[in-house]
Amino acid sequence: MPEVVLAPGKSPSEAARLVVAMAQRQGQGLISRMSRSHAAAVKSAARASGMSIVAYSTSARVMRNDFSPEPMAGRIGILTAGTSDVAVADEARMVAESCGHEVRMEADLGVAGLHRFVAPLSAILDWDADVLIVAAGMDGVLPGVVAGLVDLPVIGLPVSVGYGAGGAGQAALLTMLQSCSTGLVVVNIDNGVGAGAAAVLIASRAGEAGSRRSRPARSRRASPGPAR
Amino acid sequence: MPEVVLAPGKSPSEAARLVVAMAQRQGQGLISRMSRSHAAAVKSAARASGMSIVAYSTSARVMRNDFSPEPMAGRIGILTAGTSDVAVADEARMVAESCGHEVRMEADLGVAGLHRFVAPLSAILDWDADVLIVAAGMDGVLPGVVAGLVDLPVIGLPVSVGYGAGGAGQAALLTMLQSCSTGLVVVNIDNGVGAGAAAVLIASRAGEAGSRRSRPARSRRASPGPAR
Amino acid sequence: MPEVVLAPGKSPSEAARLVVAMAQRQGQGLISRMSRSHAAAVKSAARASGMSIVAYSTSARVMRNDFSPEPMAGRIGILTAGTSDVAVADEARMVAESCGHEVRMEADLGVAGLHRFVAPLSAILDWDADVLIVAAGMDGVLPGVVAGLVDLPVIGLPVSVGYGAGGAGQAALLTMLQSCSTGLVVVNIDNGVGAGAAAVLIASRAGEAGSRRSRPARSRRASPGPAR
Amino acid sequence: MPEVVLAPGKSPSEAARLVVAMAQRQGQGLISRMSRSHAAAVKSAARASGMSIVAYSTSARVMRNDFSPEPMAGRIGILTAGTSDVAVADEARMVAESCGHEVRMEADLGVAGLHRFVAPLSAILDWDADVLIVAAGMDGVLPGVVAGLVDLPVIGLPVSVGYGAGGAGQAALLTMLQSCSTGLVVVNIDNGVGAGAAAVLIASRAGEAGSRRSRPARSRRASPGPAR
Amino acid sequence: MPEVVLAPGKSPSEAARLVVAMAQRQGQGLISRMSRSHAAAVKSAARASGMSIVAYSTSARVMRNDFSPEPMAGRIGILTAGTSDVAVADEARMVAESCGHEVRMEADLGVAGLHRFVAPLSAILDWDADVLIVAAGMDGVLPGVVAGLVDLPVIGLPVSVGYGAGGAGQAALLTMLQSCSTGLVVVNIDNGVGAGAAAVLIASRAGEAGSRRSRPARSRRASPGPAR
Amino acid sequence: MPEVVLAPGKSPSEAARLVVAMAQRQGQGLISRMSRSHAAAVKSAARASGMSIVAYSTSARVMRNDFSPEPMAGRIGILTAGTSDVAVADEARMVAESCGHEVRMEADLGVAGLHRFVAPLSAILDWDADVLIVAAGMDGVLPGVVAGLVDLPVIGLPVSVGYGAGGAGQAALLTMLQSCSTGLVVVNIDNGVGAGAAAVLIASRAGEAGSRRSRPARSRRASPGPAR
Amino acid sequence: MPEVVLAPGKSPSEAARLVVAMAQRQGQGLISRMSRSHAAAVKSAARASGMSIVAYSTSARVMRNDFSPEPMAGRIGILTAGTSDVAVADEARMVAESCGHEVRMEADLGVAGLHRFVAPLSAILDWDADVLIVAAGMDGVLPGVVAGLVDLPVIGLPVSVGYGAGGAGQAALLTMLQSCSTGLVVVNIDNGVGAGAAAVLIASRAGEAGSRRSRPARSRRASPGPAR
Amino acid sequence: MPEVVLAPGKSPSEAARLVVAMAQRQGQGLISRMSRSHAAAVKSAARASGMSIVAYSTSARVMRNDFSPEPMAGRIGILTAGTSDVAVADEARMVAESCGHEVRMEADLGVAGLHRFVAPLSAILDWDADVLIVAAGMDGVLPGVVAGLVDLPVIGLPVSVGYGAGGAGQAALLTMLQSCSTGLVVVNIDNGVGAGAAAVLIASRAGEAGSRRSRPARSRRASPGPAR
């Protein structure tokens, strides 16, 4: 499991130096929670070292050109309740892709209108995901609703989006902890990296089995954060 | 709006005396949160005074035999997420019926399986409810989901059912406060009486209008807590 | 019910673009919680597109010139305890007016001196409001006092004004949740949009009935935030 | 200022022994928060020692027959929002009377209907109180409303009556702390003894002055908890 | 996934009736959080119906004699920090065994002395577990320490054992949420059933793969709570 | 009791305009919680209008030159635990002086070394104060210690100085609420204005009495914040 | 460091059996938080096995007659703010005495009246204590005051005595955490055993040094809880 | 014990002036929680006065050239869980070194991989430390694990590093308070100065004894923050 550099508390140049050094040493370097100046510094440091970057909202993966993660057989589905949950969900996507698993993400499923999430959820199930990560802020309802509908392990990822009482993610966290939907587990508020790492461990073993089942062919769908 | 005697902190005989006196004075007397001994004392005091009782889980309405509330034109729908939410929801039903409104209650709609709540919700909408009360403990998800599907005012009623972090109703309350579903308002945890009173005020004006629309005939469906 | 663009987290130009696009598509676009630079960007984008703006403190409604909401028969009264509660209350006013309801707002009623709120409250009742929204920060006392005096549904709107223990709106929220005044329901701290939406749903049915009663003629009183 | 025996955590006989010994030594002994068995034990121990008792809800004052507190010139008004606040308010009354001050208590003023508290409040002001104690549970609104209407120091006494969020007295405490009414200070939840002691200190100096003003004659009104 | 009857709030006879009916209908019936009288009632009702019981601390599984769960290939390891965490961990064991998975539980690993948990942890890893559940109260340290040492998904199960600040399981929950050990996810305090259900879903797919690897033969080790 | 303009949320020029207008109308205008730019704007606006200013840390009193408050006979002592509590204590001093009472303030008494506070406390008692305000942040210990030593009403004023758990004034507030020292009442965190107003009301009546006792001559000691 | 049996959650006979077995094995067995029936069971089990008991409020030490702890050179002073803090402080005394250190305890020093704690504190310092444990509930002020006066390490031991806001020991804990007195460290609420154990470790090394200084002769003062 | 100037709330020049004046008066001056501009101002003021500085992350010790603290015999070990805990731990190191004790600090021991902390912990024990300070943010696990392995007093120092629920140091504080490892005491979040002062008091007496044991020679190891 690759380490992830946490940008806050580090200067842009220091953060960029760390992640590029990690990529030189291990093939890839991961960084999360970047400000715009962090992102710019990482981009320019990677270019200066002849490396490529895969961008994931406020996170990024810097890779040596001779490196690509060993492909794994697991499939990890990621859903978000709103567009403001995508940056945190993207941390999970980055970790999962850095470990060689296939990832499919569907953003902004909402809950207020049930019709909005039926189609993307079905698509992810048809694709034969091994585990789902469901990110949600505000009332944090989506992970429980999804876990109530599927037979897969679901990792609830509360996001610090909201306002007033419980608005820094606590309401979302408590909702997920209180859910009685089968198979729902949670990580801390905004812990996209942790959700991704847990999903990787779950998918790794499951994938071995899955790869022997008759799975649909590997998805061609471009991931949301293409290489810059 | 009739007053409601709060049983806790009063001896069974004192509580029974108060509610019967209220019924003698005003035609009906309401009491909530009774223990079994409160309920027994109220029942025997009512009988001794020749009055009838309508039972609502842990609440009750004592009535003089010459009394019935003036019929109002409003229709109040009450939904509960689980069976353990019924006693609190029944406080709301008691208040609404004591004001002469028509009430229809559907209990145990769940949320984990969406199929469970579609039919009863449709039935309540076909019946042309003016306002909905939705009671839920645990993760308190149901009121937001319902409010996202209907065009009616919805009163979220959090119930102190759950365990662990947020389990005394706080998770349910926060979930409802954070919901972005249109038209959802809330009352305090376990405040069935308050939810009922608010619904009565909303339904009273709406009912006048509704009664001039072509509504389905008044429901014959026996209310869940028949007179003992 | 029109959607509302939430300004925080969006750049001024992005927010302006979104709300103007919404207005072009649907006739009107709503935006809330604008900083001064958001407000300036929205104003200039609206002008560039030949649209008009109705300003509501930190919120605004952008309208195509050929658009006006279909008039509804409901009447929504809005009261605030202090002047610092007006910006949040104005979110509710915006939503209500965007739905075609008539709105009347009385700001800064206080509570310390009872005399200050008797006259404006009477005026709103004489005007035959269908529902009241009462916004209050600090100790959040006003909504309960009002609900104790009137026979209307009252939506308590806690505002994050205060200091020290409970000063971010929690004291106001708890006060409203604990109130035993009949018919008081609440929304989350600073959720003016939610209060407005709930009031619209309540007023919509009530209005039909109200419009058949002998109501005083439609108020000519200019709304506080006139079109710029 | 006399000490007060706190009954909880002591056996009825131990508590009774302590308070009677205190009365033998100092003329009077005070005890608070008695259960029924504490009260019975105190009553019988006092009788056995030939002492008299003044009962104050769950508190009591045991006095040697040759003892009465030196009369002081202060006047302390006590108001309660509901009947369930009386036991805590009575702790304050006991302390004040044990120090020789004149006390006048008006219970159950409510707030929902303003008319209910105007008359008793006026009576207390006409009586020329030096300081007011105002006890309230639930939303704790009364102390702030009273402090907004009078020119006297007001001690807010939050009471642990309520339910759900903030229902153990926290909502009442926060409401009082957030109140912007002039001259309102608070003590901890259920701290009737502390409120009484503070009122005694405030009244002691004020009383000297008051006794030289033309005050109405000393009230004859029997105090609510007469000697048994 | 079998439903679980929650004993609290139900009378012993009612709880017994429900779980036996469930067993008659589905082959097995599960019940959790039994008091001693619940346990006695369930035992006698099961015997009266000719059913067998598997006891799990305060939980139990009632089975028709013609029923045994279809064997699954998954292996679920359960660890507890102390003996007082066993009852909650046993809920998870019951759910896992009711779904046909193989379970191995090691109790009282402690943390204060590292030597205490090395051997049982190694044994569970050698046994080739697919997922671990680690239950801990007090400071809740064990799940993070274990997750830092193994490459498996770990479900942290906080238990309401402790005292003082954070002692009702909150400290344990927060510790697990804050852990930076890879692959740790959590469920709510005391939610053994939820932990078990999530482990079942994780193990189900993994087990298929595992069963094709060369696993050590199925353990003969008697489970801690043998059939009565 | 004069109103106090609260600077935060107002622009420097707006705040300056308000307080000067208040002074023109009523003789004096008070303002609290000024930033440096607020203070500069107030100073220049007062000068431009030919008014004088009395500075109190982050608060100020603007006075018409023909105005001085009617002298009152009360004496208000103010103590602070540390130098960082002075700005909040100075709000209370401003209010008290604006009402014509005599004020004496002793700052930085500490508690760690008892010797530090004995002398200033004795001086204040010799001066015959009618009421004490004691401001303290961090552990908030000083008010309780003082109240345990004197026979005067003491108003505890918690200050938001501290760090870590309870460091925003909550520890100080709780300490004061839990104190069992006789006669201690509290106001909200940082509510210097409220503490001053309550002290004024307490001192007003007491002062009448005090002025007839043989008090030491009116102190000549310059107040800490002299007119600029 | 001897283990301590925690009585709650164990039946009296089970607890008695455990502690006697521990004494048989190791010479002494310790038990804490006993109810009266636990204490009775332990007493009778010890007698039946011919062992002696040293009682410490709700704790006890059972000893084989051939056993006494190896004497250590450390001296541990224990102070309590009130009599209700003694049971928790006695847990610390038990642990310290079981390790062979000399202990001196002074109970009920209060804080309201400074005179009450000067003499016992001086006595403990003259006795040349190596470390102090100071137990306090309510506002928890004593440990900080003591630490401000002495040059010794002080362990603050918050006790769950109090009421209302912060009354379960949280106010005491926060006060100690916020104290700026030099050398004050804390343990969790009611954790007398932990305080005792930490004091033993501190005293063990210090004692070696102390024993070479000219210490006053070993105290003869009977410890408060003599052998029964 | 030297006083420490707290930089926040003071201007850089004011802070620099205070700490240099303290050094001139007492030989050394300490300052903590400096921003970069504070640090620059202190450095230049010290140079201007011909003094030397020892830098400790965000803290510093300014010394007259003719001054060095009297050497003490105590040995204080400091461990940190991560690199982000070093600044707070360095406050403790500064205090300890300013008192003349020998300090040895090992940073970034982690916990996830046990192997990482065995070697540095052994080294500190071999060095014969008298007391350990263990700083940790996030889940705060390290102090309890260390205290469970050693026979020394351990001071847990929670650090405000983390995110989401409990992320401002509360999780770390609660974990340490709930730990059942022997001999663990705590200070408030980020209170490095307090941890250092307590360690000094513990080490002072212990050191006398230690210096008579056969200790390894005084460490030559350069301290992490060398004189600039």
Side-chain angles (χ1 to χ4, degrees), chain G residues 128 130 186 205 212-213, chain H residues 128 130 151 186 205 212-213:
Chain G
D128 195 23
D130 294 308
V186 305
R205 288 195 159 220
R212 290 167 213 178
R213 287 195 299 270
Chain H
D128 195 22
D130 294 308
D151 263 349
V186 304
R205 289 195 158 220
R212 291 168 213 175
R213 287 195 299 269

mmCIF file with all atom_site columns, all heavy atoms in Angstrom, chain G residues 128 130 186 205 212-213, chain H residues 128 130 151 186 205 212-213:
data_model
loop_
_atom_site.group_PDB
_atom_site.id
_atom_site.type_symbol
_atom_site.label_atom_id
_atom_site.label_alt_id
_atom_site.label_comp_id
_atom_site.label_asym_id
_atom_site.label_entity_id
_atom_site.label_seq_id
_atom_site.pdbx_PDB_ins_code
_atom_site.Cartn_x
_atom_site.Cartn_y
_atom_site.Cartn_z
_atom_site.occupancy
_atom_site.B_iso_or_equiv
_atom_site.pdbx_formal_charge
_atom_site.auth_seq_id
_atom_site.auth_comp_id
_atom_site.auth_asym_id
_atom_site.auth_atom_id
_atom_site.pdbx_PDB_model_num
ATOM 1   N N   . ASP G 1 128 ? 7.828  15.350 54.262 1.00 0.00 ? 128 ASP G N   1
ATOM 2   C CA  . ASP G 1 128 ? 8.728  15.122 53.128 1.00 0.00 ? 128 ASP G CA  1
ATOM 3   C C   . ASP G 1 128 ? 8.163  14.149 52.089 1.00 0.00 ? 128 ASP G C   1
ATOM 4   O O   . ASP G 1 128 ? 8.827  13.187 51.683 1.00 0.00 ? 128 ASP G O   1
ATOM 5   C CB  . ASP G 1 128 ? 10.101 14.635 53.640 1.00 0.00 ? 128 ASP G CB  1
ATOM 6   C CG  . ASP G 1 128 ? 11.173 14.750 52.543 1.00 0.00 ? 128 ASP G CG  1
ATOM 7   O OD1 . ASP G 1 128 ? 10.996 15.550 51.607 1.00 0.00 ? 128 ASP G OD1 1
ATOM 8   O OD2 . ASP G 1 128 ? 12.173 14.026 52.629 1.00 0.00 ? 128 ASP G OD2 1
ATOM 9   N N   . ASP G 1 130 ? 7.109  12.623 48.537 1.00 0.00 ? 130 ASP G N   1
ATOM 10  C CA  . ASP G 1 130 ? 7.783  12.629 47.238 1.00 0.00 ? 130 ASP G CA  1
ATOM 11  C C   . ASP G 1 130 ? 6.853  13.053 46.113 1.00 0.00 ? 130 ASP G C   1
ATOM 12  O O   . ASP G 1 130 ? 7.293  13.531 45.074 1.00 0.00 ? 130 ASP G O   1
ATOM 13  C CB  . ASP G 1 130 ? 8.326  11.232 46.922 1.00 0.00 ? 130 ASP G CB  1
ATOM 14  C CG  . ASP G 1 130 ? 9.435  10.829 47.872 1.00 0.00 ? 130 ASP G CG  1
ATOM 15  O OD1 . ASP G 1 130 ? 10.392 11.616 48.036 1.00 0.00 ? 130 ASP G OD1 1
ATOM 16  O OD2 . ASP G 1 130 ? 9.334  9.747  48.469 1.00 0.00 ? 130 ASP G OD2 1
ATOM 17  N N   . VAL G 1 186 ? -2.712 14.805 35.217 1.00 0.00 ? 186 VAL G N   1
ATOM 18  C CA  . VAL G 1 186 ? -4.008 14.269 35.614 1.00 0.00 ? 186 VAL G CA  1
ATOM 19  C C   . VAL G 1 186 ? -4.202 12.838 35.133 1.00 0.00 ? 186 VAL G C   1
ATOM 20  O O   . VAL G 1 186 ? -3.499 12.354 34.251 1.00 0.00 ? 186 VAL G O   1
ATOM 21  C CB  . VAL G 1 186 ? -5.184 15.123 35.080 1.00 0.00 ? 186 VAL G CB  1
ATOM 22  C CG1 . VAL G 1 186 ? -5.051 16.566 35.496 1.00 0.00 ? 186 VAL G CG1 1
ATOM 23  C CG2 . VAL G 1 186 ? -5.281 15.018 33.570 1.00 0.00 ? 186 VAL G CG2 1
ATOM 24  N N   . ARG G 1 205 ? 11.637 5.765  42.579 1.00 0.00 ? 205 ARG G N   1
ATOM 25  C CA  . ARG G 1 205 ? 12.987 6.285  42.372 1.00 0.00 ? 205 ARG G CA  1
ATOM 26  C C   . ARG G 1 205 ? 13.291 7.408  43.348 1.00 0.00 ? 205 ARG G C   1
ATOM 27  O O   . ARG G 1 205 ? 14.384 7.493  43.899 1.00 0.00 ? 205 ARG G O   1
ATOM 28  C CB  . ARG G 1 205 ? 13.111 6.827  40.959 1.00 0.00 ? 205 ARG G CB  1
ATOM 29  C CG  . ARG G 1 205 ? 13.143 5.700  39.937 1.00 0.00 ? 205 ARG G CG  1
ATOM 30  C CD  . ARG G 1 205 ? 13.610 6.203  38.612 1.00 0.00 ? 205 ARG G CD  1
ATOM 31  N NE  . ARG G 1 205 ? 14.101 5.075  37.851 1.00 0.00 ? 205 ARG G NE  1
ATOM 32  C CZ  . ARG G 1 205 ? 15.168 5.094  37.080 1.00 0.00 ? 205 ARG G CZ  1
ATOM 33  N NH1 . ARG G 1 205 ? 15.859 6.211  36.962 1.00 0.00 ? 205 ARG G NH1 1
ATOM 34  N NH2 . ARG G 1 205 ? 15.570 4.025  36.434 1.00 0.00 ? 205 ARG G NH2 1
ATOM 35  N N   . ARG G 1 212 ? 17.955 8.690  51.756 1.00 0.00 ? 212 ARG G N   1
ATOM 36  C CA  . ARG G 1 212 ? 19.307 9.070  52.179 1.00 0.00 ? 212 ARG G CA  1
ATOM 37  C C   . ARG G 1 212 ? 19.336 10.484 52.739 1.00 0.00 ? 212 ARG G C   1
ATOM 38  O O   . ARG G 1 212 ? 20.334 10.911 53.281 1.00 0.00 ? 212 ARG G O   1
ATOM 39  C CB  . ARG G 1 212 ? 20.254 8.963  50.980 1.00 0.00 ? 212 ARG G CB  1
ATOM 40  C CG  . ARG G 1 212 ? 20.457 7.497  50.605 1.00 0.00 ? 212 ARG G CG  1
ATOM 41  C CD  . ARG G 1 212 ? 21.120 7.336  49.277 1.00 0.00 ? 212 ARG G CD  1
ATOM 42  N NE  . ARG G 1 212 ? 20.593 6.119  48.644 1.00 0.00 ? 212 ARG G NE  1
ATOM 43  C CZ  . ARG G 1 212 ? 20.947 5.713  47.441 1.00 0.00 ? 212 ARG G CZ  1
ATOM 44  N NH1 . ARG G 1 212 ? 21.807 6.413  46.734 1.00 0.00 ? 212 ARG G NH1 1
ATOM 45  N NH2 . ARG G 1 212 ? 20.421 4.617  46.927 1.00 0.00 ? 212 ARG G NH2 1
ATOM 46  N N   . ARG G 1 213 ? 18.275 11.228 52.473 1.00 0.00 ? 213 ARG G N   1
ATOM 47  C CA  . ARG G 1 213 ? 18.174 12.546 53.126 1.00 0.00 ? 213 ARG G CA  1
ATOM 48  C C   . ARG G 1 213 ? 17.732 12.310 54.556 1.00 0.00 ? 213 ARG G C   1
ATOM 49  O O   . ARG G 1 213 ? 17.280 11.242 54.931 1.00 0.00 ? 213 ARG G O   1
ATOM 50  C CB  . ARG G 1 213 ? 17.111 13.410 52.420 1.00 0.00 ? 213 ARG G CB  1
ATOM 51  C CG  . ARG G 1 213 ? 17.546 13.933 51.064 1.00 0.00 ? 213 ARG G CG  1
ATOM 52  C CD  . ARG G 1 213 ? 16.627 15.043 50.618 1.00 0.00 ? 213 ARG G CD  1
ATOM 53  N NE  . ARG G 1 213 ? 15.251 14.590 50.480 1.00 0.00 ? 213 ARG G NE  1
ATOM 54  C CZ  . ARG G 1 213 ? 14.730 14.095 49.356 1.00 0.00 ? 213 ARG G CZ  1
ATOM 55  N NH1 . ARG G 1 213 ? 15.471 13.988 48.277 1.00 0.00 ? 213 ARG G NH1 1
ATOM 56  N NH2 . ARG G 1 213 ? 13.477 13.721 49.305 1.00 0.00 ? 213 ARG G NH2 1
ATOM 57  N N   . ASP H 1 128 ? 18.871 4.959  31.045 1.00 0.00 ? 128 ASP H N   1
ATOM 58  C CA  . ASP H 1 128 ? 18.397 5.088  32.427 1.00 0.00 ? 128 ASP H CA  1
ATOM 59  C C   . ASP H 1 128 ? 17.604 6.372  32.669 1.00 0.00 ? 128 ASP H C   1
ATOM 60  O O   . ASP H 1 128 ? 17.871 7.130  33.614 1.00 0.00 ? 128 ASP H O   1
ATOM 61  C CB  . ASP H 1 128 ? 19.599 5.012  33.392 1.00 0.00 ? 128 ASP H CB  1
ATOM 62  C CG  . ASP H 1 128 ? 19.138 4.771  34.833 1.00 0.00 ? 128 ASP H CG  1
ATOM 63  O OD1 . ASP H 1 128 ? 18.020 4.265  35.046 1.00 0.00 ? 128 ASP H OD1 1
ATOM 64  O OD2 . ASP H 1 128 ? 19.919 5.097  35.743 1.00 0.00 ? 128 ASP H OD2 1
ATOM 65  N N   . ASP H 1 130 ? 14.663 8.788  33.935 1.00 0.00 ? 130 ASP H N   1
ATOM 66  C CA  . ASP H 1 130 ? 13.870 8.797  35.170 1.00 0.00 ? 130 ASP H CA  1
ATOM 67  C C   . ASP H 1 130 ? 12.376 8.925  34.900 1.00 0.00 ? 130 ASP H C   1
ATOM 68  O O   . ASP H 1 130 ? 11.551 8.536  35.730 1.00 0.00 ? 130 ASP H O   1
ATOM 69  C CB  . ASP H 1 130 ? 14.313 9.976  36.051 1.00 0.00 ? 130 ASP H CB  1
ATOM 70  C CG  . ASP H 1 130 ? 15.731 9.813  36.543 1.00 0.00 ? 130 ASP H CG  1
ATOM 71  O OD1 . ASP H 1 130 ? 16.033 8.748  37.108 1.00 0.00 ? 130 ASP H OD1 1
ATOM 72  O OD2 . ASP H 1 130 ? 16.542 10.738 36.347 1.00 0.00 ? 130 ASP H OD2 1
ATOM 73  N N   . ASP H 1 151 ? 8.612  0.482  33.302 1.00 0.00 ? 151 ASP H N   1
ATOM 74  C CA  . ASP H 1 151 ? 8.320  0.642  34.726 1.00 0.00 ? 151 ASP H CA  1
ATOM 75  C C   . ASP H 1 151 ? 8.552  2.066  35.198 1.00 0.00 ? 151 ASP H C   1
ATOM 76  O O   . ASP H 1 151 ? 8.859  2.307  36.367 1.00 0.00 ? 151 ASP H O   1
ATOM 77  C CB  . ASP H 1 151 ? 9.247  -0.288 35.524 1.00 0.00 ? 151 ASP H CB  1
ATOM 78  C CG  . ASP H 1 151 ? 8.544  -1.583 35.865 1.00 0.00 ? 151 ASP H CG  1
ATOM 79  O OD1 . ASP H 1 151 ? 7.325  -1.664 35.666 1.00 0.00 ? 151 ASP H OD1 1
ATOM 80  O OD2 . ASP H 1 151 ? 9.225  -2.508 36.343 1.00 0.00 ? 151 ASP H OD2 1
ATOM 81  N N   . VAL H 1 186 ? -1.561 12.388 32.252 1.00 0.00 ? 186 VAL H N   1
ATOM 82  C CA  . VAL H 1 186 ? -1.636 13.235 31.062 1.00 0.00 ? 186 VAL H CA  1
ATOM 83  C C   . VAL H 1 186 ? -1.655 14.717 31.420 1.00 0.00 ? 186 VAL H C   1
ATOM 84  O O   . VAL H 1 186 ? -1.919 15.097 32.558 1.00 0.00 ? 186 VAL H O   1
ATOM 85  C CB  . VAL H 1 186 ? -2.891 12.928 30.205 1.00 0.00 ? 186 VAL H CB  1
ATOM 86  C CG1 . VAL H 1 186 ? -2.947 11.468 29.814 1.00 0.00 ? 186 VAL H CG1 1
ATOM 87  C CG2 . VAL H 1 186 ? -4.153 13.332 30.922 1.00 0.00 ? 186 VAL H CG2 1
ATOM 88  N N   . ARG H 1 205 ? 13.922 14.821 42.071 1.00 0.00 ? 205 ARG H N   1
ATOM 89  C CA  . ARG H 1 205 ? 14.194 13.937 43.209 1.00 0.00 ? 205 ARG H CA  1
ATOM 90  C C   . ARG H 1 205 ? 14.785 12.620 42.750 1.00 0.00 ? 205 ARG H C   1
ATOM 91  O O   . ARG H 1 205 ? 15.709 12.088 43.363 1.00 0.00 ? 205 ARG H O   1
ATOM 92  C CB  . ARG H 1 205 ? 12.902 13.650 43.958 1.00 0.00 ? 205 ARG H CB  1
ATOM 93  C CG  . ARG H 1 205 ? 12.413 14.862 44.708 1.00 0.00 ? 205 ARG H CG  1
ATOM 94  C CD  . ARG H 1 205 ? 11.382 14.484 45.713 1.00 0.00 ? 205 ARG H CD  1
ATOM 95  N NE  . ARG H 1 205 ? 11.321 15.519 46.725 1.00 0.00 ? 205 ARG H NE  1
ATOM 96  C CZ  . ARG H 1 205 ? 11.182 15.286 48.009 1.00 0.00 ? 205 ARG H CZ  1
ATOM 97  N NH1 . ARG H 1 205 ? 11.078 14.052 48.453 1.00 0.00 ? 205 ARG H NH1 1
ATOM 98  N NH2 . ARG H 1 205 ? 11.150 16.281 48.879 1.00 0.00 ? 205 ARG H NH2 1
ATOM 99  N N   . ARG H 1 212 ? 23.461 8.316  42.080 1.00 0.00 ? 212 ARG H N   1
ATOM 100 C CA  . ARG H 1 212 ? 24.270 7.430  42.927 1.00 0.00 ? 212 ARG H CA  1
ATOM 101 C C   . ARG H 1 212 ? 24.288 6.004  42.393 1.00 0.00 ? 212 ARG H C   1
ATOM 102 O O   . ARG H 1 212 ? 25.020 5.168  42.873 1.00 0.00 ? 212 ARG H O   1
ATOM 103 C CB  . ARG H 1 212 ? 23.701 7.439  44.347 1.00 0.00 ? 212 ARG H CB  1
ATOM 104 C CG  . ARG H 1 212 ? 23.950 8.797  44.993 1.00 0.00 ? 212 ARG H CG  1
ATOM 105 C CD  . ARG H 1 212 ? 23.178 8.971  46.252 1.00 0.00 ? 212 ARG H CD  1
ATOM 106 N NE  . ARG H 1 212 ? 22.803 10.377 46.386 1.00 0.00 ? 212 ARG H NE  1
ATOM 107 C CZ  . ARG H 1 212 ? 22.041 10.861 47.344 1.00 0.00 ? 212 ARG H CZ  1
ATOM 108 N NH1 . ARG H 1 212 ? 21.559 10.061 48.281 1.00 0.00 ? 212 ARG H NH1 1
ATOM 109 N NH2 . ARG H 1 212 ? 21.753 12.131 47.403 1.00 0.00 ? 212 ARG H NH2 1
ATOM 110 N N   . ARG H 1 213 ? 23.354 5.728  41.473 1.00 0.00 ? 213 ARG H N   1
ATOM 111 C CA  . ARG H 1 213 ? 23.420 4.416  40.821 1.00 0.00 ? 213 ARG H CA  1
ATOM 112 C C   . ARG H 1 213 ? 24.513 4.498  39.753 1.00 0.00 ? 213 ARG H C   1
ATOM 113 O O   . ARG H 1 213 ? 24.980 5.563  39.382 1.00 0.00 ? 213 ARG H O   1
ATOM 114 C CB  . ARG H 1 213 ? 22.083 4.090  40.134 1.00 0.00 ? 213 ARG H CB  1
ATOM 115 C CG  . ARG H 1 213 ? 20.975 3.747  41.098 1.00 0.00 ? 213 ARG H CG  1
ATOM 116 C CD  . ARG H 1 213 ? 19.808 3.093  40.355 1.00 0.00 ? 213 ARG H CD  1
ATOM 117 N NE  . ARG H 1 213 ? 19.237 3.988  39.355 1.00 0.00 ? 213 ARG H NE  1
ATOM 118 C CZ  . ARG H 1 213 ? 18.233 4.823  39.576 1.00 0.00 ? 213 ARG H CZ  1
ATOM 119 N NH1 . ARG H 1 213 ? 17.684 4.921  40.792 1.00 0.00 ? 213 ARG H NH1 1
ATOM 120 N NH2 . ARG H 1 213 ? 17.772 5.579  38.619 1.00 0.00 ? 213 ARG H NH2 1
#
